[in-house]
């Protein structure tokens, strides 16, 4: 097949597309894709030991139980610092310090080619805190390569909640968010240097490679945690970005959704949380899901 090349007028077909001219532009020089070091990297990958399939009660700022370069995918939603019962009232700077420290630690634990997917919502209105932009800054500084951004659309329409005085008026209309973000980063290289089995179906792959995912939210009451994300969201991330038998990490594990989704999708998992109660809840949810899968 003849390769297409980037042209001033774009290109209609992408199969076998040669985009090297485009990525050699100065605009991209900040991001050091280390594709060239990929061959042979996989020889350093050890099969997971007893440290895997565990939920650890500790801060993910230091994940000493997990060997460096051992995780294929990390998927998490961090504490949002909005006053949930597990959150202290800390400043934005101190909050972002935690995010930076955990991000650094995740980077160490990921294999080359490993991915870090972060579910985050922007906050407030007066002011609107564009949390996801701070997350980009921090993680790019931490060395991650940005790979894309998924808009997680949680609903099609929101009800009411317009403040008096703003109804149909230009005085102070407030946007009502239907979405959150999933920021996707990778370590050192965009493609996985190691080989593995992908188990995503054709239909799911077609949906998952679109940048907007419509998946209903999870009920906090049903799960018993104030901010769970849905299992369907974690499953899609896991099947898109990891191979079977990979180890999946959630540094802010909460009710254990990421780890549960990993376990029922033939992956291994590791989770961290500073709450004993949430570690217990996560272990219980994983065990129940595995029992249901077995029966
Ligand atoms: C948004 S919740 C995660 C919810 C999770 N995605 C789920 O589906 O249940 C964030 C979690 O981070 C935990 N957490 C806060 N600070 C932490 C830290 N330094 N290390 C590990 N976990 C932490 C909180 O206890 C909380 O359970």
């Amino acid at each position: 097949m003849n390769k297409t090349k980037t042209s001033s007028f774009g290109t209609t077909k992408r199969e076998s597309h040669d985009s090297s001219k485009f990525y050699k532009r100065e605009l991209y020089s900040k991001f050091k894709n280390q594709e060239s070091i990929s061959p042979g990297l996989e020889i350093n990958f050890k099969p997971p030991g007893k440290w895997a399939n565990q939920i650890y009660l500790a801060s993910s700022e230091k994940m000493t139980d997990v060997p460096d370069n051992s995780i294929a995918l990390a998927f998490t939603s961090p504490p949002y610092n909005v006053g949930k019962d597990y959150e202290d009232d800390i400043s934005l700077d101190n909050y972002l310090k935690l995010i930076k420290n955990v991000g650094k630690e995740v980077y160490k634990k990921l294999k080359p080619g490993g991915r870090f997917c972060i579910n985050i919502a922007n906050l407030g209105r007066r002011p609107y805190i564009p949390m996801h932009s701070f997350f980009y800054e921090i993680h790019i500084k931490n060395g991650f390569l940005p790979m894309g951004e998924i808009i997680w659309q949680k609903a099609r329409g929101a009800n009411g909640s317009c403040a008096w005085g703003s109804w149909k008026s230009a005085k102070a209309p407030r946007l009502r968010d239907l979405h959150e973000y999933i920021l996707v980063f990778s370590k050192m290289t965009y493609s996985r240097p190691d080989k593995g089995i992908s188990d995503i179906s054709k239909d799911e792959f077609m949906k998952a490679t679109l940048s907007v995912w419509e998946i209903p939210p999870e009920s906090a009451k049903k799960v018993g945690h104030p901010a769970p994300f849905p299992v369907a969201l974690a499953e899609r991330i896991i099947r898109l970005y990891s191979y079977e038998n990979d180890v999946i990490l959630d540094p802010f594990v909460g009710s254990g959704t990421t780890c549960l989704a990993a376990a029922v999708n033939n992956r291994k998992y590791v989770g961290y949380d500073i709450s004993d109660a949430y570690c217990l809840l996560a272990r219980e949810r994983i065990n129940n899901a595995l029992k249901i899968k077995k029966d």
Side-chain angles (χ1 to χ4, degrees), residues 3 56 70 93-94 156-157 162 174 177 199 205 273 277:
K3 280 190 174 184
Y56 295 102
S70 60
D93 284 350
N94 284 339
R156 290 205 171 159
C162 277
R174 286 168 55 128
D177 286 357
D199 53 355
F205 185 79
D273 207 289

Side-chain angles (χ1 to χ4, degrees), residues 58-61 77-79 86 98 225 227-229 250-257 272-275 278:
S59 170
S60 47
E61 288 164 287
S77 75
Y86 51 79
L98 168 73
H225 184 282
F229 48 47
D250 189 341
F252 298 111
V253 80
S255 65
T257 313
Y272 277 82
D273 207 289
I274 47 170
S275 154
Y278 295 147

Side-chain angles (χ1 to χ4, degrees), residues 125-144:
R125 283 293 176 266
R126 297 168 169 214
Y128 178 67
I129 303 185
M131 208 53 107
H132 79 315
S133 72
F134 297 132
F135 272 56
Y136 272 121
E137 205 182 315
I138 287 172
H139 293 299
I140 290 169
K141 267 196 197 138
N142 273 346
F144 280 105

Side-chain angles (χ1 to χ4, degrees), residues 106-164:
V106 169
Y107 190 92
K108 267 195 347 208
K109 302 301 162 188
L110 285 177
K111 300 171 171 193
R115 284 80 187 246
F116 187 19
C117 302
I118 309 168
N119 164 224
I120 183 81
N122 292 338
L123 299 177
R125 283 293 176 266
R126 297 168 169 214
Y128 178 67
I129 303 185
M131 208 53 107
H132 79 315
S133 72
F134 297 132
F135 272 56
Y136 272 121
E137 205 182 315
I138 287 172
H139 293 299
I140 290 169
K141 267 196 197 138
N142 273 346
F144 280 105
L145 301 169
M147 282 180 81
E149 179 177 297
I150 295 155
I151 304 295
W152 169 28
Q153 186 180 346
K154 300 196 291 183
R156 290 205 171 159
N159 18 347
S161 76
C162 277
W164 285 114

